[in-house]
Amino acid sequence: MAAFRYEDALTPTPPPGFLEARNRRQKARAAGLHPDYWYPVAHSNKLKPGKAMGTRFWGRPIAVYRDQKGIVHAMEDRCAHRQLKLSQGEVKGCNLVCQYHGWEYGCDGKVIAIPHELFGKPFPKLSVPSFPVQERYGHIWVFPGDPALAKKRPLPEIPELEGKNRWGIILLDGVWKAHHTMLMENICDFTHGYLHRDYRPFWDPKLTKYETVGDKVYVSYDTKVGAGKIFRRFVDDRKVNANHMDLCFDYPFQWSNTDNKIKSYCFLLPQDEQTTHGFFIFYFQSLKLPFLPMTMPPWLLDRVLKIAKRLFVQPVIDQDGWAVELEQEGYNRFSDLPVAEFSPVVSMFQQLTIRKWEEYLATRNVVPQPTLGASA
Ligand code: FES
Ligand SMILES: [Fe+2]
């Protein structure tokens, strides 16, 4: 183990990239997420007709815009002329116009109009790549990988979020300066209950199961779900067994399930190696009226969940965000030091992330170095 060297403190060695990484943790912290899946980029209501926005998938810039008819499109966020961000452009009908010289793009990314003189040259056949897009569950989803695979990789079916019997929902998102594996480990590894000791979204967890099956890691805990002073008054103990939770890293996203009555999904958009946009969906079949043996009517459920989001859920997620950003800072400075990791699920998440990233690299004929031993 390398000893701390004061002379290196001001210029720490940056963490290795995926191809140079020699142990599991370093590989996991440098791995991307496989692009051949759907990733959320924004809540639907954040993008109004006639507006454009920019995001990134693993460093690749993506412009997303909603045309005047309400349909959402996505293309690489760079003008084919001088690479300005198209997301800074203007929506014109169904097209996107670059702000600088006014080149106009159809929704398939093709340049279809140039408003200035061409000096006798023919109209250029230029385009930028476009991406499959869909809207569902209140989110805009983009498929950043091979477009031919978009239809073969459907979104998870979540019937509780649709139709007239839809459950009460809390939607929440945030951008954190941390690698996506740090977020995934945070939401599945409950050893960090201490961080949430004031809110107790889970309490006194005992890991009862952990198993990798294909591209999924299943984890179960016996734990008190929603054990905080206020929230537990809303959970109906007669109808919900809130002493157990199943979770799954269902690559590339995560879900949780408490007795088929309280569920969640978390989708991660890896913008780059140290920036992750997390999207959370928490949904509840019902809650009860505090101190009364009565189920809340649906109209009240939505209102109560709005308050719960502000008073309980958002603060808990903020605590997690604070912790993972500090973890990233620590990793940036001490990436070659060993970590005393006790939870067996962490290494399973890392193994799955690495395997899927190697699977992607293999399609690009990139062969990384073998991993040496266990995580250091
Ligand atoms: S840079 Fe976009 S039109 Fe010139
Ligand atoms: Fe947490």
Side-chain angles (χ1 to χ4, degrees):
M1 174 181 117
F4 189 86
R5 291 165 27 128
Y6 288 98
E7 60 273 34
D8 293 341
L10 297 179
T11 52
T13 319
F18 191 80
L19 299 181
E20 297 81 43
R22 296 306 301 271
N23 64 51
R24 191 186 60 237
R25 184 172 69 118
Q26 289 179 344
K27 275 193 188 221
R29 298 292 187 245
L33 286 173
H34 201 305
D36 289 341
Y37 290 88
W38 290 94
Y39 290 87
V41 294
H43 289 153
S44 285
N45 60 9
K46 293 267 169 69
L47 189 64
K48 305 285 182 224
K51 296 287 176 208
M53 56 159 275
T55 186
R56 286 172 301 148
F57 180 84
W58 206 241
R60 187 177 188 185
I62 299 174
V64 185
Y65 70 97
R66 190 185 292 282
D67 69 25
Q68 304 291 3
K69 290 185 185 147
I71 299 167
V72 182
H73 311 278
M75 61 182 72
E76 206 160 85
D77 195 5
R78 59 170 188 87
C79 179
H81 183 207
R82 294 194 196 162
Q83 324 304 330
L84 258 77
K85 286 187 172 189
L86 290 172
S87 56
Q88 298 293 312
E90 219 166 50
V91 178
K92 184 176 162 194
C94 295
N95 305 329
L96 188 56
V97 180
C98 178
Q99 286 287 18
Y100 197 4
H101 307 90
W103 288 27
E104 186 170 339
Y105 293 79
C107 60
D108 56 358
K110 278 202 188 93
V111 178
I112 54 172
I114 297 178
H116 59 73
E117 191 183 356
L118 296 181
F119 304 100
K121 298 202 173 99
F123 190 88
K125 279 192 190 145
L126 288 172
S127 64
V128 291
S130 62
F131 301 95
V133 185
Q134 63 173 308
E135 282 192 88
R136 215 172 160 194
Y137 310 135
H139 293 70
I140 296 168
W141 304 82
V142 168
F143 196 88
D146 178 356
L149 297 175
K151 283 211 168 74
K152 294 185 197 150
R153 287 267 161 81
L155 287 176
E157 284 302 317
I158 320 176
E160 298 92 340
L161 300 185
E162 295 176 319
K164 71 174 171 29
N165 292 325
R166 80 162 177 80
W167 292 12
I169 301 170
I170 294 177
L171 293 186
L172 202 146
D173 75 316
V175 178
W176 289 282
K177 299 298 292 175
H179 190 268
H180 58 87
T181 52
M182 292 179 187
L183 273 80
M184 185 53 70
E185 289 164 24
N186 169 277
I187 54 179
C188 291
D189 164 30
F190 280 7
T191 55
H192 74 285
Y194 182 80
L195 175 68
H196 303 308
R197 59 197 175 281
D198 292 339
Y199 294 100
R200 302 192 178 191
F202 52 86
W203 194 244
D204 194 22
K206 301 274 182 299
L207 184 65
T208 57
K209 173 187 154 185
Y210 48 98
E211 180 186 18
T212 301
V213 181
D215 292 350
K216 300 175 201 290
V217 181
Y218 293 95
V219 179
S220 296
Y221 292 98
D222 281 342
T223 182
K224 302 228 170 310
V225 180
K229 272 189 275 206
I230 300 171
F231 193 74
R232 70 164 184 250
R233 311 232 174 261
F234 291 87
V235 177
D236 194 339
D237 292 332
R238 297 163 313 155
K239 293 185 181 161
V240 186
N241 174 12
N243 295 313
H244 184 84
M245 191 191 282
D246 297 314
L247 299 111
C248 184
F249 176 18
D250 191 345
Y251 190 94
F253 53 85
Q254 184 263 12
W255 54 256
S256 80
N257 182 354
T258 299
D259 199 25
N260 286 322
K261 305 285 193 310
I262 303 172
K263 299 185 177 184
S264 73
Y265 269 94
C266 173
F267 300 92
L268 301 177
L269 173 72
Q271 294 189 333
D272 61 37
E273 276 194 13
Q274 300 195 6
T275 316
T276 306
H277 194 164
F279 294 84
F280 296 85
I281 308 174
F282 299 95
Y283 49 116
F284 304 78
Q285 187 183 45
S286 63
L287 292 176
K288 78 176 205 48
L289 293 168
F291 307 110
L292 294 171
M294 284 169 68
T295 301
M296 220 175 259
W299 63 269
L300 184 57
L301 178 62
D302 277 339
R303 288 178 197 191
V304 168
L305 288 179
K306 247 187 210 148
I307 298 168
K309 174 180 173 177
R310 197 156 40 84
L311 298 183
F312 176 75
V313 185
Q314 184 75 57
V316 168
I317 298 292
D318 288 346
Q319 289 179 330
D320 286 326
W322 173 83
V324 294
E325 289 194 339
L326 285 179
E327 183 177 0
Q328 182 71 60
E329 271 183 39
Y331 181 67
N332 288 350
R333 181 146 278 222
F334 301 112
S335 62
D336 53 351
L337 290 188
V339 164
E341 185 57 68
F342 288 88
S343 169
V345 301
V346 169
S347 63
M348 294 164 78
F349 298 146
Q350 294 182 350
Q351 278 159 6
L352 176 55
T353 302
I354 293 166
R355 172 163 62 78
K356 293 297 289 182
W357 190 239
E358 286 177 342
E359 205 176 291
Y360 164 71
L361 292 179
T363 66
R364 322 272 296 184
N365 294 322
V366 180
V367 182
Q369 298 193 42
T371 306
L372 294 181
S375 169

